[in-house]
Amino acid sequence: MAKQIRADNIGSLLRPPELLQARAGYREGKLQREQLGDIEDRSILKALDLQKAAGVEVFTDGEYRRDIFTADITRAVDGLVPGKTTVSFEWRGAGSELAKESKEGNLQFIVGNKLRKKGRFTPGEAPFLKQHAPGPFKVCTPAAMQHAISRYKPGVTDKVYPTIHDMLQDVATIMRDEVQALIDEGASYVQLDAPSYSTFFDPKRRASLDASGVNSAEALDAAIAADNAMIQSITRRPEVAIGIHFCRGNKRSAWGAEGSYEPIAEKAFASLTMDRYLMEFDTERAGGFEPLRFVPKGKVAVLGLVG
């Protein structure tokens, strides 16, 4: 049975100024990859010390080796072509302008050819944590669902994959290899990040999805099936936990979605085969606790709260 963890960080930590400057310098060609790697290492070691001092039980590298939480999908998968989906997405809240300024290369690609694995999403992260973490460690990787909304474009993707379900079957196979690799490298906890589930409970985003030609109800079923396939028949040690994180796309004090979990709670909680569901509940836009009545016995609901 997976170890009972009383509290953990969802994955990302705020990047320190030194790391932000180094990453900008690397993008501008002012810094070599090795130099950036040295600064990443130093930043991660400091983050581990901070977590240890705070009494954290399971450690993360803060995703300091990534520009974005999904990591660089173009490094891991063949079959992507430049483009964007027709599903509308807007940042909301006080930080919306800052959020818009960030150019995320991952969002500039859709699926246009048969998907094939060519590399890792998170190379080198688990081995470094295994060597330096002062206790059990976790690594986050995008859920298969994360690619359903942002990568499937009717008129392009359906020439290769007639439905989202068809595409996600290949995504799940590729991502399953990533989960297994992380466990084999020593991770005690793997977290699947799935903020795109918010598309199904945010009324505005759900309407946009349906208007794009994708049936939202069918897409939800396909997403759940794919995320389950990501961990199906995984070989793991008894203490290894697998969780899935639902959020609303928070960034720079802005958010991409809002609404209660209620529209998806019964189906998602009953059908997803994860050990832990990590959910944000610290804002008014997250709704009340009523959807938690659907969490099955034996599963753990981790509530994002500020005491």
Side-chain angles (χ1 to χ4, degrees), residues 37-275:
D38 289 341
I39 294 171
E40 289 173 344
D41 289 351
R42 289 203 303 270
S43 300
I44 291 169
L45 292 174
K46 291 178 182 177
L48 292 173
D49 287 341
L50 178 64
Q51 292 170 77
K52 183 178 180 180
V56 172
E57 297 177 288
V58 60
F59 297 85
T60 171
D61 66 1
E63 298 177 359
Y64 282 176
R65 300 196 191 279
R66 312 181 197 180
D67 283 323
I68 181 175
F69 77 95
T70 56
D72 185 358
I73 189 174
T74 61
R75 178 177 58 188
V77 177
D78 273 330
L80 301 172
V81 298
K84 290 186 176 184
T85 65
T86 53
V87 180
S88 64
F89 180 89
E90 61 176 338
W91 291 106
R92 313 174 204 180
S96 57
E97 292 304 317
L98 283 174
K100 290 176 186 176
E101 290 176 5
S102 177
K103 305 299 183 186
E104 296 173 351
N106 269 333
L107 299 181
Q108 312 303 316
F109 294 91
I110 56 175
V111 174
N113 296 296
K114 186 75 172 175
L115 293 172
R116 292 181 176 84
K117 177 183 176 180
K118 68 176 180 180
R120 289 284 304 279
F121 283 82
T122 57
E125 293 187 14
F128 187 86
L129 283 167
K130 184 175 182 179
Q131 181 179 358
H132 296 285
F137 65 89
K138 72 183 289 187
V139 180
C140 302
T141 189
M145 161 58 201
Q146 192 57 29
H147 304 291
I149 308 305
S150 59
R151 310 260 177 244
Y152 193 93
K153 184 173 184 177
V156 178
T157 312
D158 53 7
K159 294 178 181 178
V160 186
Y161 295 106
T163 68
I164 279 186
H165 177 74
D166 297 320
M167 182 191 82
L168 283 178
Q169 286 182 311
D170 280 356
V171 172
T173 299
I174 293 169
M175 299 303 298
R176 184 193 177 281
D177 286 349
E178 185 72 19
V179 173
Q180 186 66 68
L182 292 171
I183 293 172
D184 292 345
E185 290 171 337
S188 297
Y189 188 166
V190 177
Q191 176 183 301
L192 312 185
D193 283 320
S196 284
Y197 272 94
S198 62
T199 300
F200 302 121
F201 57 73
D202 180 306
K204 183 182 291 188
R205 295 190 67 180
R206 187 169 61 247
S208 176
L209 179 63
D210 286 326
S212 76
V214 175
N215 182 285
S216 58
E218 293 177 359
L220 175 59
D221 289 340
I224 291 172
D227 286 337
N228 283 338
M230 273 186 69
I231 63 171
Q232 184 177 11
S233 302
I234 285 287
T235 302
R236 55 169 163 159
R237 303 176 302 280
E239 73 275 12
V240 173
I242 296 178
I244 188 165
H245 174 223
F246 304 113
C247 78
R248 291 159 179 76
N250 303 294
K251 182 177 182 181
R252 302 282 185 92
S253 298
W255 64 87
E258 58 189 18
S260 167
Y261 297 103
E262 187 72 22
I264 69 166
E266 184 172 12
K267 178 175 285 188
F269 294 153
S271 302
L272 286 166
T273 56
M274 315 299 163
D275 303 315

Side-chain angles (χ1 to χ4, degrees), residues 260-263 265-266 269 288-297 301:
S260 167
Y261 297 103
E262 187 72 22
E266 184 172 12
F269 294 153
F289 296 114
E290 293 82 4
L292 296 177
R293 71 189 185 277
F294 294 116
V295 175
K297 290 183 178 180

